[in-house]
Amino acid sequence: MTKKITAAITAVGGFVPEDRLTNQDLEKMVDTNDEWIRTRTGISERRILKGEGKATSDMAAPAVLDLLKKRGIEASEIDCLIVATVTPDMVFPATANVVCDKIGAVNAWGYDLSAACSGFLFALTTGASYIESGRYKKVVVVGADKMSAIVDYTDRNTCILFGDGAAAVLLEPNDEGYGILDSQLKTDGSGRYYLNMKAGGSAYPASVETVTNREHFAFQEGKTVFKFAVKGMADVSADLLDRNKLTGADIAWLVPHQANLRIIDATAERLGLPKEKVMINIQRYGNTTAATIPLCLWEWQNQLKKGDNLVFAAFGGGFTWGATLVKWAI
Ligand code: UT7
Protein backbone atom coordinates (compact mmCIF):
# COMPACT_ATOMS: atom_id res chain seq x y z
CA MET A 1 0.00 0.00 0.00
CA THR A 2 1.37 3.44 -0.87
CA LYS A 3 1.78 5.82 2.03
CA LYS A 4 -0.24 9.02 2.23
CA ILE A 5 1.65 12.07 0.97
CA THR A 6 1.56 15.14 3.20
CA ALA A 7 3.00 18.60 2.53
CA ALA A 8 5.90 19.24 4.90
CA ILE A 9 7.37 22.66 5.60
CA THR A 10 11.04 22.07 4.77
CA ALA A 11 12.39 25.64 4.97
CA VAL A 12 11.37 29.11 6.18
CA GLY A 13 12.65 32.48 4.98
CA GLY A 14 11.84 36.02 6.04
CA PHE A 15 12.49 39.69 5.47
CA VAL A 16 11.64 42.82 7.45
CA PRO A 17 12.66 46.33 6.37
CA GLU A 18 15.18 48.21 8.51
CA ASP A 19 13.21 51.39 9.17
CA ARG A 20 11.25 51.44 12.42
CA LEU A 21 8.09 53.43 13.21
CA THR A 22 7.77 53.63 17.01
CA ASN A 23 4.82 54.59 19.19
CA GLN A 24 6.76 57.75 20.03
CA ASP A 25 6.97 58.59 16.31
CA LEU A 26 3.19 58.11 16.03
CA GLU A 27 2.61 60.42 19.02
CA LYS A 28 4.00 63.19 16.83
CA MET A 29 1.72 62.30 13.90
CA VAL A 30 -1.72 61.71 15.48
CA ASP A 31 -3.46 62.19 18.83
CA THR A 32 -2.30 58.97 20.51
CA ASN A 33 0.14 57.80 23.14
CA ASP A 34 2.51 54.93 23.78
CA GLU A 35 0.60 53.69 26.83
CA TRP A 36 -2.75 53.49 24.94
CA ILE A 37 -1.19 51.63 22.01
CA ARG A 38 0.68 49.15 24.19
CA THR A 39 -2.22 48.34 26.52
CA ARG A 40 -4.88 48.13 23.77
CA THR A 41 -2.82 46.31 21.14
CA GLY A 42 0.55 45.14 22.52
CA ILE A 43 2.46 47.01 19.80
CA SER A 44 5.60 49.12 20.45
CA GLU A 45 7.01 49.52 16.95
CA ARG A 46 6.59 48.39 13.33
CA ARG A 47 8.89 48.12 10.29
CA ILE A 48 8.27 50.34 7.28
CA LEU A 49 9.54 49.76 3.74
CA LYS A 50 10.82 53.07 2.45
CA GLY A 51 12.09 54.14 -0.96
CA GLU A 52 10.60 55.29 -4.25
CA GLY A 53 8.90 52.42 -6.06
CA LYS A 54 9.68 49.88 -3.34
CA ALA A 55 6.89 47.32 -3.20
CA THR A 56 5.67 44.10 -1.61
CA SER A 57 7.76 42.05 -4.06
CA ASP A 58 10.90 43.77 -2.72
CA MET A 59 10.25 42.06 0.62
CA ALA A 60 8.84 38.81 -0.75
CA ALA A 61 11.80 38.19 -3.08
CA PRO A 62 14.51 38.33 -0.35
CA ALA A 63 12.29 36.20 1.92
CA VAL A 64 12.14 33.48 -0.76
CA LEU A 65 15.88 33.77 -1.49
CA ASP A 66 16.55 33.29 2.25
CA LEU A 67 14.43 30.12 2.18
CA LEU A 68 16.19 28.76 -0.92
CA LYS A 69 19.60 29.34 0.65
CA LYS A 70 18.59 27.50 3.83
CA ARG A 71 17.26 24.53 1.83
CA GLY A 72 20.24 24.62 -0.55
CA ILE A 73 18.19 24.66 -3.74
CA GLU A 74 17.95 26.90 -6.82
CA ALA A 75 15.01 29.15 -7.70
CA SER A 76 14.64 27.19 -10.94
CA GLU A 77 13.56 24.15 -8.89
CA ILE A 78 10.37 25.85 -7.65
CA ASP A 79 7.23 24.43 -9.33
CA CYS A 80 4.67 26.90 -8.02
CA LEU A 81 4.77 30.11 -5.96
CA ILE A 82 1.72 31.63 -4.27
CA VAL A 83 1.82 35.12 -2.76
CA ALA A 84 -0.82 35.89 -0.14
CA THR A 85 -1.20 39.67 -0.05
CA VAL A 86 -3.67 42.55 -0.05
CA THR A 87 -0.99 45.01 -1.09
CA PRO A 88 0.17 43.65 -4.46
CA ASP A 89 2.77 45.72 -6.35
CA MET A 90 0.03 46.51 -8.86
CA VAL A 91 -3.60 45.41 -9.33
CA PHE A 92 -2.20 43.20 -12.10
CA PRO A 93 -0.05 41.40 -13.02
CA ALA A 94 0.20 39.31 -9.89
CA THR A 95 3.02 39.98 -7.43
CA ALA A 96 3.87 36.26 -7.72
CA ASN A 97 4.93 36.92 -11.32
CA VAL A 98 7.15 39.80 -10.21
CA VAL A 99 8.72 37.72 -7.43
CA CYS A 100 9.42 34.80 -9.78
CA ASP A 101 11.11 37.20 -12.19
CA LYS A 102 13.18 38.88 -9.47
CA ILE A 103 14.49 35.60 -8.03
CA GLY A 104 14.86 33.70 -11.32
CA ALA A 105 12.14 31.10 -10.71
CA VAL A 106 11.99 30.43 -14.43
CA ASN A 107 10.14 27.11 -14.18
CA ALA A 108 7.46 28.19 -11.74
CA TRP A 109 3.91 29.33 -12.29
CA GLY A 110 2.17 31.32 -9.63
CA TYR A 111 -0.54 33.69 -8.57
CA ASP A 112 -1.66 35.97 -5.76
CA LEU A 113 -4.25 35.02 -3.18
CA SER A 114 -6.34 37.65 -1.42
CA ALA A 115 -7.67 36.72 2.01
CA ALA A 116 -6.30 39.60 4.10
CA CYS A 117 -4.94 38.48 7.47
CA SER A 118 -5.92 34.86 6.79
CA GLY A 119 -4.13 34.93 3.43
CA PHE A 120 -1.16 32.85 4.54
CA LEU A 121 -3.37 30.07 5.94
CA PHE A 122 -5.54 30.02 2.81
CA ALA A 123 -2.45 29.91 0.57
CA LEU A 124 -0.76 27.28 2.74
CA THR A 125 -3.78 24.98 2.52
CA THR A 126 -4.00 25.54 -1.25
CA GLY A 127 -0.28 24.91 -1.73
CA ALA A 128 -0.43 21.79 0.46
CA SER A 129 -3.18 20.36 -1.78
CA TYR A 130 -0.88 20.58 -4.81
CA ILE A 131 1.72 18.54 -2.94
CA GLU A 132 -0.79 16.03 -1.51
CA SER A 133 -2.20 15.38 -5.00
CA GLY A 134 1.27 14.46 -6.22
CA ARG A 135 1.14 17.12 -8.93
CA TYR A 136 4.06 19.25 -7.65
CA LYS A 137 7.18 18.65 -5.57
CA LYS A 138 8.22 22.17 -4.51
CA VAL A 139 5.62 24.81 -3.73
CA VAL A 140 6.56 28.13 -2.13
CA VAL A 141 3.92 29.95 -0.08
CA VAL A 142 4.64 33.61 0.70
CA GLY A 143 2.81 35.95 3.07
CA ALA A 144 3.79 39.54 2.27
CA ASP A 145 2.26 42.94 2.82
CA LYS A 146 3.43 46.52 2.55
CA MET A 147 0.63 47.85 4.75
CA SER A 148 2.26 51.30 4.91
CA ALA A 149 1.11 51.72 1.28
CA ILE A 150 -2.57 51.63 2.30
CA VAL A 151 -2.47 53.05 5.83
CA ASP A 152 -3.86 56.54 6.45
CA TYR A 153 -1.31 58.16 8.74
CA THR A 154 -3.89 60.76 9.78
CA ASP A 155 -6.30 58.08 11.12
CA ARG A 156 -5.33 57.11 14.66
CA ASN A 157 -7.74 54.17 14.63
CA THR A 158 -5.71 52.28 12.05
CA CYS A 159 -2.25 53.83 11.63
CA ILE A 160 -0.99 52.49 14.95
CA LEU A 161 -1.77 48.89 14.00
CA PHE A 162 0.05 47.99 10.83
CA GLY A 163 3.60 47.33 9.60
CA ASP A 164 5.44 45.87 6.61
CA GLY A 165 7.08 42.47 6.23
CA ALA A 166 7.30 39.20 4.29
CA ALA A 167 8.04 35.57 5.00
CA ALA A 168 7.78 32.32 3.08
CA VAL A 169 7.73 28.56 3.52
CA LEU A 170 8.71 25.75 1.17
CA LEU A 171 6.34 22.78 0.91
CA GLU A 172 7.64 19.37 -0.16
CA PRO A 173 6.13 15.85 -0.14
CA ASN A 174 6.53 13.72 2.98
CA ASP A 175 5.38 10.14 3.55
CA GLU A 176 6.11 9.93 7.27
CA GLY A 177 3.17 11.96 8.50
CA TYR A 178 4.88 15.35 8.88
CA GLY A 179 3.55 18.65 7.59
CA ILE A 180 0.11 20.16 7.09
CA LEU A 181 -2.28 17.70 8.76
CA ASP A 182 -5.58 19.56 8.79
CA SER A 183 -7.09 22.98 8.12
CA GLN A 184 -10.40 24.53 8.95
CA LEU A 185 -10.95 27.69 6.91
CA LYS A 186 -13.93 30.04 6.84
CA THR A 187 -15.25 33.09 5.04
CA ASP A 188 -18.23 35.34 5.78
CA GLY A 189 -18.62 38.09 3.22
CA SER A 190 -21.17 39.93 5.34
CA GLY A 191 -18.15 41.12 7.33
CA ARG A 192 -16.85 43.11 4.36
CA TYR A 193 -18.29 46.38 5.68
CA TYR A 194 -16.12 46.44 8.80
CA LEU A 195 -12.63 46.00 7.34
CA ASN A 196 -11.91 46.99 3.78
CA MET A 197 -10.29 49.35 1.30
CA LYS A 198 -13.26 50.87 -0.47
CA ALA A 199 -11.80 52.34 -3.65
CA GLY A 200 -9.43 51.22 -6.37
CA GLY A 201 -11.41 48.13 -7.37
CA SER A 202 -14.22 47.82 -9.92
CA ALA A 203 -16.89 49.17 -7.54
CA TYR A 204 -15.18 52.50 -6.98
CA PRO A 205 -12.35 52.97 -9.47
CA ALA A 206 -9.79 55.65 -8.61
CA SER A 207 -11.12 59.16 -9.14
CA VAL A 208 -10.41 62.61 -7.78
CA GLU A 209 -13.35 62.03 -5.45
CA THR A 210 -12.11 58.71 -4.05
CA VAL A 211 -8.72 60.27 -3.38
CA THR A 212 -10.26 63.33 -1.73
CA ASN A 213 -12.45 61.09 0.44
CA ARG A 214 -9.35 59.08 1.51
CA GLU A 215 -10.95 55.85 0.24
CA HIS A 216 -7.71 54.28 -0.98
CA PHE A 217 -6.74 53.52 2.62
CA ALA A 218 -7.58 50.56 4.87
CA PHE A 219 -10.70 51.21 6.90
CA GLN A 220 -11.58 49.27 10.04
CA GLU A 221 -14.43 49.41 12.53
CA GLY A 222 -12.11 48.10 15.23
CA LYS A 223 -14.58 47.20 17.97
CA THR A 224 -16.77 45.08 15.67
CA VAL A 225 -13.81 43.29 14.12
CA PHE A 226 -12.38 42.68 17.59
CA LYS A 227 -15.56 40.94 18.75
CA PHE A 228 -15.69 38.63 15.72
CA ALA A 229 -11.93 37.99 15.85
CA VAL A 230 -11.83 36.95 19.50
CA LYS A 231 -14.63 34.43 19.02
CA GLY A 232 -13.71 33.34 15.48
CA MET A 233 -10.05 32.60 16.11
CA ALA A 234 -10.65 30.78 19.40
CA ASP A 235 -13.63 28.75 18.11
CA VAL A 236 -11.95 27.55 14.94
CA SER A 237 -8.76 26.61 16.79
CA ALA A 238 -10.69 24.67 19.44
CA ASP A 239 -12.75 22.89 16.73
CA LEU A 240 -9.59 21.93 14.88
CA LEU A 241 -8.11 20.36 18.02
CA ASP A 242 -11.38 18.57 18.84
CA ARG A 243 -11.75 16.98 15.43
CA ASN A 244 -8.13 15.77 15.59
CA LYS A 245 -8.72 14.42 19.12
CA LEU A 246 -6.03 16.67 20.57
CA THR A 247 -5.94 19.00 23.56
CA GLY A 248 -3.75 21.98 24.41
CA ALA A 249 -1.37 19.58 26.16
CA ASP A 250 -0.53 18.01 22.77
CA ILE A 251 0.40 21.36 21.22
CA ALA A 252 3.99 22.64 21.33
CA TRP A 253 3.24 26.08 19.90
CA LEU A 254 0.34 28.32 18.99
CA VAL A 255 1.31 30.49 16.01
CA PRO A 256 -1.36 33.19 15.95
CA HIS A 257 -1.97 36.06 13.56
CA GLN A 258 -0.59 39.18 15.26
CA ALA A 259 -3.43 41.73 15.18
CA ASN A 260 -3.95 42.41 18.85
CA LEU A 261 -2.32 40.86 21.92
CA ARG A 262 -5.72 40.59 23.60
CA ILE A 263 -7.06 38.44 20.74
CA ILE A 264 -3.97 36.21 20.94
CA ASP A 265 -4.35 35.83 24.71
CA ALA A 266 -8.01 34.86 24.35
CA THR A 267 -7.17 32.13 21.81
CA ALA A 268 -4.34 30.76 23.95
CA GLU A 269 -6.58 30.70 27.00
CA ARG A 270 -9.34 28.87 25.12
CA LEU A 271 -6.85 26.16 24.09
CA GLY A 272 -5.41 26.00 27.61
CA LEU A 273 -1.95 27.05 26.44
CA PRO A 274 0.48 28.95 28.70
CA LYS A 275 2.19 32.09 27.37
CA GLU A 276 5.49 30.19 26.89
CA LYS A 277 3.85 28.15 24.12
CA VAL A 278 2.61 31.16 22.13
CA MET A 279 4.66 32.93 19.47
CA ILE A 280 4.31 36.69 19.94
CA ASN A 281 6.27 39.34 18.05
CA ILE A 282 3.50 41.92 17.63
CA GLN A 283 5.43 44.31 19.90
CA ARG A 284 8.17 44.62 17.25
CA TYR A 285 6.30 44.32 13.95
CA GLY A 286 2.65 45.24 14.54
CA ASN A 287 0.14 43.67 12.17
CA THR A 288 1.86 42.72 8.90
CA THR A 289 -1.37 41.11 7.59
CA ALA A 290 -0.45 38.01 5.51
CA ALA A 291 3.12 37.97 6.83
CA THR A 292 2.50 37.57 10.59
CA ILE A 293 2.37 33.77 10.85
CA PRO A 294 5.36 32.94 8.61
CA LEU A 295 7.35 35.76 10.27
CA CYS A 296 6.78 34.01 13.60
CA LEU A 297 8.00 30.70 12.13
CA TRP A 298 11.04 32.50 10.72
CA GLU A 299 11.93 33.93 14.12
CA TRP A 300 11.19 30.80 16.15
CA GLN A 301 12.52 28.13 13.77
CA ASN A 302 15.58 27.37 15.89
CA GLN A 303 13.34 26.57 18.86
CA LEU A 304 11.11 24.17 16.92
CA LYS A 305 11.71 20.44 17.13
CA LYS A 306 10.88 17.75 14.61
CA GLY A 307 7.50 16.28 15.54
CA ASP A 308 6.21 19.37 17.36
CA ASN A 309 2.49 19.92 16.88
CA LEU A 310 1.76 23.53 15.90
CA VAL A 311 -1.56 25.34 15.54
CA PHE A 312 -1.61 28.31 13.16
CA ALA A 313 -4.65 30.58 13.66
CA ALA A 314 -5.84 33.76 11.95
CA PHE A 315 -8.75 36.15 11.58
CA GLY A 316 -9.02 39.02 9.10
CA GLY A 317 -10.85 41.12 6.58
CA GLY A 318 -13.56 39.45 4.56
CA PHE A 319 -14.29 38.19 7.12
CA THR A 320 -11.86 35.33 6.68
CA TRP A 321 -10.56 33.07 9.40
CA GLY A 322 -9.16 29.65 10.10
CA ALA A 323 -6.72 27.35 11.83
CA THR A 324 -4.19 24.83 10.53
CA LEU A 325 -2.58 21.89 12.33
CA VAL A 326 1.06 21.22 11.42
CA LYS A 327 3.53 18.55 12.50
CA TRP A 328 6.94 20.19 12.24
CA ALA A 329 9.22 18.31 9.85
CA ILE A 330 12.71 19.80 10.28
O1 UT7 B 1 -5.93 41.82 11.49
C1 UT7 B 1 -7.21 41.88 11.01
C2 UT7 B 1 -8.21 41.82 12.07
N1 UT7 B 1 -8.13 43.00 12.87
C3 UT7 B 1 -8.23 42.91 14.17
O2 UT7 B 1 -8.34 41.82 14.68
C4 UT7 B 1 -8.29 44.18 14.98
C5 UT7 B 1 -9.45 44.16 15.92
N2 UT7 B 1 -9.64 45.37 16.67
C6 UT7 B 1 -8.76 45.81 17.60
O3 UT7 B 1 -7.70 45.26 17.75
C7 UT7 B 1 -9.19 46.93 18.49
O4 UT7 B 1 -10.56 47.20 18.30
C8 UT7 B 1 -8.39 48.26 18.27
C9 UT7 B 1 -6.99 48.08 18.79
C10 UT7 B 1 -8.39 48.62 16.80
C11 UT7 B 1 -9.05 49.38 19.10
O5 UT7 B 1 -9.13 49.02 20.47
P1 UT7 B 1 -10.51 49.16 21.27
O6 UT7 B 1 -10.22 48.73 22.66
O7 UT7 B 1 -11.56 48.40 20.52
O8 UT7 B 1 -10.73 50.70 21.25
P2 UT7 B 1 -11.97 51.52 20.63
O9 UT7 B 1 -11.89 51.53 19.16
O10 UT7 B 1 -13.24 51.07 21.28
O11 UT7 B 1 -11.62 52.95 21.21
C12 UT7 B 1 -11.62 53.23 22.61
C13 UT7 B 1 -11.28 54.70 22.79
C14 UT7 B 1 -12.14 55.61 21.93
O12 UT7 B 1 -12.38 56.79 22.67
P3 UT7 B 1 -13.77 57.02 23.43
O13 UT7 B 1 -14.82 56.92 22.38
O14 UT7 B 1 -13.85 55.90 24.44
O15 UT7 B 1 -13.61 58.37 24.03
C15 UT7 B 1 -11.25 55.93 20.76
O16 UT7 B 1 -11.56 57.16 20.16
O17 UT7 B 1 -9.91 54.93 22.39
C16 UT7 B 1 -9.88 55.97 21.40
N3 UT7 B 1 -8.80 55.69 20.46
C17 UT7 B 1 -7.53 56.04 20.68
N4 UT7 B 1 -6.92 56.70 21.68
C18 UT7 B 1 -5.61 56.89 21.61
C19 UT7 B 1 -8.87 55.01 19.28
N5 UT7 B 1 -7.65 54.95 18.72
C20 UT7 B 1 -6.80 55.58 19.58
C21 UT7 B 1 -5.42 55.82 19.54
N6 UT7 B 1 -4.85 56.46 20.58
N7 UT7 B 1 -4.64 55.40 18.53
Side-chain angles (χ1 to χ4, degrees), residues 127 202 231 243:
S202 56
K231 185 167 162 36
R243 78 179 190 190

Side-chain angles (χ1 to χ4, degrees), residues 289-310:
T289 304
T292 58
I293 289 174
L295 273 178
C296 282
L297 297 174
W298 177 58
E299 290 204 322
W300 265 264
Q301 57 191 324
N302 291 337
Q303 294 181 55
L304 298 178
K305 294 187 200 74
K306 190 170 179 175
D308 276 354
N309 287 322
L310 314 184

Side-chain angles (χ1 to χ4, degrees), residues 5-6 23 32-33 39 78-79 141 146 152-153 159-160 205 224-225 228-229 275 286 289 298 305 308 315 322:
I5 300 291
T6 50
N23 291 353
T32 191
N33 60 79
T39 52
I78 300 171
D79 298 316
V141 177
K146 184 191 169 191
D152 181 351
Y153 286 100
C159 74
I160 55 144
T224 309
V225 178
F228 279 95
K275 263 236 149 73
T289 304
W298 177 58
K305 294 187 200 74
D308 276 354
F315 188 95

Side-chain angles (χ1 to χ4, degrees), residues 21-34 37 153:
L21 180 68
T22 65
N23 291 353
Q24 288 72 24
D25 295 330
L26 287 162
E27 284 176 357
K28 295 178 202 130
M29 297 159 67
V30 289
D31 179 16
T32 191
N33 60 79
D34 175 54
I37 301 172
Y153 286 100

